[in-house]
């Protein structure tokens, strides 16, 4: 069996066995012993009472609040925002295990991995070369003076490894060739470009200030180059390579990740200089996209690492339009979104330079607007409020924006503000807003419209409207069987022979099928390994919750009783259905059909009593 990116199962097992989950989780979460469990505050959602549990015996974690669950690889994947293959790679490299599974089949794997390592090494050396040229040569003096004039300090230049690519065709080419790097491979890695006549290679970047782009582990994987003076393009990024995919990379994420993890908040900028200048102002949780629009992959990455995002885009029309477009994507990733409102024409870099770091932190970051406030401000720009028609159209649009809020209290607050500002009757605004609320509710899928919608997403599993409901006997029986089956191969085989996959809960039937397959592959009972093999988040949560049930006495009599309870359920459901059909037939005056239904009901009841 293999996993994503052709990772063999034995590699997954070796990595999982190498790490003790208590030790790994303990680097991020303060754990205390509670019987056979370790407990702490969940790192994936806000909580005051610990619901995050680690089970050393099973080598799994499970949060009863947000539902996150899995083994040590899954924890690192979630906490660091990796994909599963990335988490395996990072843990394997940290453990000193050879990483040879990425790439094509057979003998090409090792070759591809060596190419990857060579390209990474070349990028590291290139970053040092460019930084040296900026700081120590006459070539770089103009670029260095430009950066200092922009308000950067020597400390920031060194921290962000800013450099300079001179206005020559072969500086980097000669540097890398002298160190035995293959120019063709360096072209593939995005550092060099082939000459048009095919006679060799030249430097991709020339006469530009160079910003190294790191992966989340701090390895240089690409560059962004800014032209000095006129000429275009203003910014030029490395092409996409085996290391660098723009839709999955953020500038400065490796520096910002500790602050993001601690605050559960990330600030998203549009450019390198915005991130660098804001860092000097105390914003250590800032990142930027790579000169491309925000993608769903970007949003998913941020959603795994933070709970709130502040969009700090340029104050011009393009920047504000980009912020508006980004909001629904980020909210879909379960992020709370706020938006910095900068003066028109100012970008964050210029704002910090003109108004100072303290004002930037107070006004742009701490004072960032809610998405509703931002949408109202954005809407105003499209209407001429000096005219009656303009005011009317704005209020109609504003009522629609406010109607999109789930909270009636929040809607009331915004409507009162609009009423006071425009001296317009509050009751009329509320009436129009309520009509739009009803219209929106009709468009929502069934189940979305509820009074507790504020608590959806991360804390959905914690919502409760009273005492927990008692589970039907057959559900308890199914959970009990699965709990034992995960620990006892013989019990699983017995259930397979006598019940098969005839579990009544869909997830239970799926887990049973996976367990049968797991043991068919000659695996010994191993709860952590089994959960890790599922590769389905919903089933992982269900399996973890079942595996962490308290152990119960179990013998042949209990097994037989549980199987009988489970087997009866379809017949009971059929009985209830026939009773309903009999009632409907009697109401319709179809007494022949009703009599037939009662005959079938009596036969089913005798059958159930005879079991």
């Amino acid at each position: 069996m293999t996993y994503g990116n052709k990772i063999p199962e034995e590699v997954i097992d070796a990595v999982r066995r190498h790490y003790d989950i208590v030790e790994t989780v303990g680097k991020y979460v303060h754990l205390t012993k509670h019987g056979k469990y370790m407990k702490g505050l969940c790192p994936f959602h806000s909580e005051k009472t610990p619901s995050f549990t680690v089970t050393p015996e099973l080598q799994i974690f499970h949060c009863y609040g947000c539902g996150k669950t899995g083994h040590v690889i899954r924890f690192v994947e979630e906490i660091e925002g990796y994909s599963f293959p990335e988490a395996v790679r990072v843990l394997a490299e940290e453990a000193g295990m050879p990483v040879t599974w990425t790439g094509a089949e057979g003998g090409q794997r090792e070759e591809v991995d060596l190419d990857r390592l060579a390209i990474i090494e070349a990028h590291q050396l290139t970053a040092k070369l460019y930084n040296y040229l900026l700081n120590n040569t006459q070539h770089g003096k103009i670029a260095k003076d430009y950066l200092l004039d922009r308000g950067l300090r020597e400390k920031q230049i060194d921290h962000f490894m800013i450099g300079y690519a001179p206005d020559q065709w072969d500086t980097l080419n000669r540097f890398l060739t002298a160190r035995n790097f293959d120019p063709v491979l360096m072209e593939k890695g995005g550092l060099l470009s082939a000459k048009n006549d095919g006679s060799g290679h030249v430097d991709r970047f020339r006469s530009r200030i160079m910003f190294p782009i790191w992966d989340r582990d701090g390895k240089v994987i690409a560059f962004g180059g800014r032209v000095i003076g006129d000429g275009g393009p203003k910014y030029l990024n490395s092409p996409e390579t085996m290391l660098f995919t723009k839709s999955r990379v953020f500038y400065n994420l490796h520096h910002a990740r500790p602050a993001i993890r601690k605050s559960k908040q990330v600030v998203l900028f549009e450019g390198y200089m915005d991130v660098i200048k804001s860092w000097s102002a105390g914003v250590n949780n800032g990142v930027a996209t790579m000169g491309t629009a925000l993608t769903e992959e970007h949003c998913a990455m941020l959603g795994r690492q933070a709970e709130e995002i502040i969009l700090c885009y340029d104050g011009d029309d393009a920047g504000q339009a980009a912020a508006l477009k980004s909001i629904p994507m980020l909210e879909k990733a379960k992020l709370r979104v706020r938006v910095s409102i900068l003066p028109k024409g100012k970008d964050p870099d210029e704002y910090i330079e003109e108004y100072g770091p303290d004002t930037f932190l107070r006004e742009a970051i701490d004072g960032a607007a809610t998405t509703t406030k931002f949408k109202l401000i954005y809407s105003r720009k499209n209407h001429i409020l000096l005219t009656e028609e303009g005011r009317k159209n704005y209020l109609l649009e504003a009522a629609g924006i406010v109607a999109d809020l789930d909270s009636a209290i929040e809607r009331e607050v915004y409507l009162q503000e609009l009423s006071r500002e425009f001296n317009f009757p509050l009751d009329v605004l509320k009436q129009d807003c309520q009509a739009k609320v009803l219209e929106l509710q009709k468009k929502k899928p069934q189940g979305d419209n509820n009074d507790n919608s504020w608590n959806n997403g991360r804390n959905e599993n914690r919502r409760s409207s009273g005492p927990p409901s008692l589970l039907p006997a057959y559900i308890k029986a199914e959970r009990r069987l699965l709990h034992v089956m995960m620990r006892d191969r013989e019990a699983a085989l017995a259930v397979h022979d006598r019940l098969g996959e005839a579990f009544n809960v869909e997830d239970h039937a799926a887990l049973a099928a996976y367990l049968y397959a797991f043991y068919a592959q000659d695996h010994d009972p191993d709860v952590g390994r089994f959960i890790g093999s599922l590769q389905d988040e919903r089933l992982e949560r269900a399996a973890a919750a079942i595996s962490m049930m308290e152990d119960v006495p179990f013998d042949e009599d209990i097994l037989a009783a549980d199987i009988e309870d489970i087997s009866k359920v379809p017949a009971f459901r059929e009985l209830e259905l026939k009773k309903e059909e009999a009632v409907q037939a009697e109401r319709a005056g179809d007494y022949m059909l009703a009599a037939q239904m009662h005959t079938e009901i009596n036969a089913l009841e005798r059958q159930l009593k005879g079991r």
Side-chain angles (χ1 to χ4, degrees), residues 378-391:
Y378 189 86
S379 174
R380 293 174 73 108
K381 299 176 182 178
N382 298 321
H383 301 283
I384 303 173
L385 300 183
L386 294 176
T387 67
E388 184 176 339
E389 182 72 10
R391 288 193 297 273

Side-chain angles (χ1 to χ4, degrees), residues 476-489:
K476 290 182 179 179
E478 291 184 0
R479 288 167 62 86
R480 186 163 49 241
L481 283 184
L482 289 167
H483 177 82
V484 175
M485 289 164 65
M486 287 187 213
R487 290 165 168 75
D488 189 326
R489 179 192 183 98

Side-chain angles (χ1 to χ4, degrees), residues 440-450:
L440 288 170
Q441 287 177 349
K442 291 178 182 178
K443 294 179 181 178
K444 287 184 179 180
Q446 189 174 2
D448 282 358
N449 179 23
N450 62 70

Side-chain angles (χ1 to χ4, degrees), residues 392-460:
K392 180 199 74 174
N393 290 336
Y394 170 67
L395 286 173
L396 285 169
E397 194 168 304
I401 292 171
V402 174
D404 202 34
L405 288 166
D406 291 319
S407 168
I409 294 175
E410 287 187 84
R411 293 198 296 266
E412 179 79 14
V413 169
Y414 283 109
L415 292 176
Q416 285 184 3
E417 287 183 6
L418 290 167
S419 175
R420 285 193 298 269
E421 182 180 0
F422 290 92
N423 193 27
F424 198 84
L426 178 61
D427 289 345
V428 176
L429 286 173
K430 290 171 71 172
Q431 182 179 351
D432 195 72
C433 182
Q434 186 59 29
K436 294 182 183 297
V437 168
L438 294 174
E439 184 180 334
L440 288 170
Q441 287 177 349
K442 291 178 182 178
K443 294 179 181 178
K444 287 184 179 180
Q446 189 174 2
D448 282 358
N449 179 23
N450 62 70
D451 293 334
N452 293 323
S453 55
W454 62 272
N455 203 24
N456 284 342
R458 294 179 181 270
N459 295 326
E460 183 176 1

